[in-house]
Amino acid sequence: ETYQQNERHHSKARLVRDENNRRIAGVCAGLGNYFGIDISLMRFAWFSLAFFGIFSAGISTFMIITVYFILWFVMPKSNNIYQ
């Protein structure tokens, strides 16, 4: 893949909620698609941050859940199944 093809591929990526691969709202699926990360890994990361936030002073579970809801509200739904 050349640099131009790579740039063209990344320029088409949009940060949208993936309604076809959603578990709750499609936020993790959309983030995984946008950053090129496995969706299951993205879900595991969000769950881990929220769960271990209970035991951490630096990251709170409330903050992680709040960020998730903000992304749910801000990220548009994908209109195309191929996005």
Side-chain angles (χ1 to χ4, degrees):
E1 186 172 87
T2 66
Y3 176 75
Q4 289 176 338
Q5 290 172 333
N6 191 23
E7 283 297 310
R8 214 175 306 128
H9 171 71
H10 288 297
S11 66
K12 290 182 182 179
R14 293 182 41 215
L15 184 56
V16 293
R17 290 186 289 130
D18 188 350
E19 290 288 308
N20 296 316
N21 292 319
R22 70 187 182 104
R23 291 288 181 251
I24 298 174
V27 172
C28 290
L31 288 171
N33 290 335
Y34 183 77
F35 290 111
I37 300 171
D38 182 53
I39 296 169
S40 297
L41 184 62
M42 182 64 73
R43 289 182 181 129
F44 180 74
W46 276 89
F47 175 78
S48 297
L49 284 172
F51 179 75
F52 290 114
I54 296 169
F55 309 108
S56 172
I59 298 174
S60 71
T61 300
F62 178 76
M63 179 183 73
I64 298 299
I65 293 171
T66 302
V67 169
Y68 186 89
F69 278 107
I70 289 171
L71 288 173
W72 187 350
F73 179 73
V74 172
M75 289 171 61
K77 290 182 188 178
S78 64
N79 294 329
N80 187 350
I81 61 170
Y82 299 107
Q83 288 183 356

